[in-house]
Amino acid sequence: MTSITAGGDKPSIYSKELTEKYYTPIYSNGIENEGLYGYTDFAKINSSSITISARGTIGYICLRTKPYVPIVRLISVIPKKEELSAEYLYLWALRQNFSATGTTQQQLTVPNLKKISIGIPAKEILKKFNNIVIPIFQSIEKNKDENKNLAQLRDTLLPKLMSGELKLSEIKTKLYE
């Protein structure tokens, strides 16, 4: 019903900034900015999945709907689409209490995660659930993308407005043309 992998080393070629060449996000075990480390030019995980931090911020869970590269032991759980949606898996995982093992450095391991059974409702119930929940998550993702675009626009325009290079009246005029 799922496949589980752990992220490895960061790609040798990457950028801290999103560019035309480096557009695939690299995620690590961090909480800040959902663990975004940088960008590269290829994806290791291409289908919707969840990630679970295995070290440091153990048990931090994110839904990933776009291709990405997991690094630094970030665990990816990829559901088989015929049996389970990533959105269901995400909401299920949020209710779990993932415990770590190890004496020197606490960590969540793939073998320990594989031992946990996932409660899955009947197909008809899961279908109804997905029909309600997936559009909500799609709206959330769309809002996140719009917020990123607006932040970029702010970061571009604000310095120009503050320096006087651009006048507010010019912006208003251009918006209403």
Side-chain angles (χ1 to χ4, degrees), residues 14 64 109 123:
Y14 73 96
R64 310 288 184 192
T109 64
K123 285 187 180 193

Side-chain angles (χ1 to χ4, degrees), residues 1 13 17 23 25 41 46 69 74 82-84 86 91 93 95 110-111 119-120 129-130 134-135 139 156 172:
M1 105 181 54
I13 300 173
E17 303 296 322
Y23 51 86
D41 58 352
N46 288 295
V69 175
L74 180 67
E82 317 80 52
E83 299 176 25
L84 197 57
L91 292 172
R95 300 194 44 89
V110 170
I120 303 174
F129 172 87
N130 288 335
I134 290 174
S139 291
T156 302
K172 285 182 183 177

Side-chain angles (χ1 to χ4, degrees), residues 44-93:
K44 286 191 177 178
I45 309 292
N46 288 295
S47 47
S48 293
S49 60
I50 66 167
T51 56
I52 305 171
S53 293
R55 284 193 185 152
T57 54
I58 295 170
Y60 178 68
I61 301 160
C62 286
L63 174 65
R64 310 288 184 192
T65 57
K66 298 175 183 169
Y68 67 96
V69 175
I71 62 169
V72 193
R73 307 264 322 137
L74 180 67
I75 295 176
S76 296
V77 184
I78 306 140
K80 292 182 182 170
K81 290 182 182 179
E82 317 80 52
E83 299 176 25
L84 197 57
S85 68
E87 292 79 3
Y88 177 86
L89 185 61
Y90 171 73
L91 292 172
W92 171 86

Side-chain angles (χ1 to χ4, degrees), residues 5 7 45 57 67 80 102 108 114 117 127 154 161-162 164:
T5 64
I45 309 292
T57 54
K80 292 182 182 170
L108 179 63
K114 285 183 176 182
S117 64
K127 184 177 178 180
R154 176 204 61 214
L161 286 166
M162 297 296 286

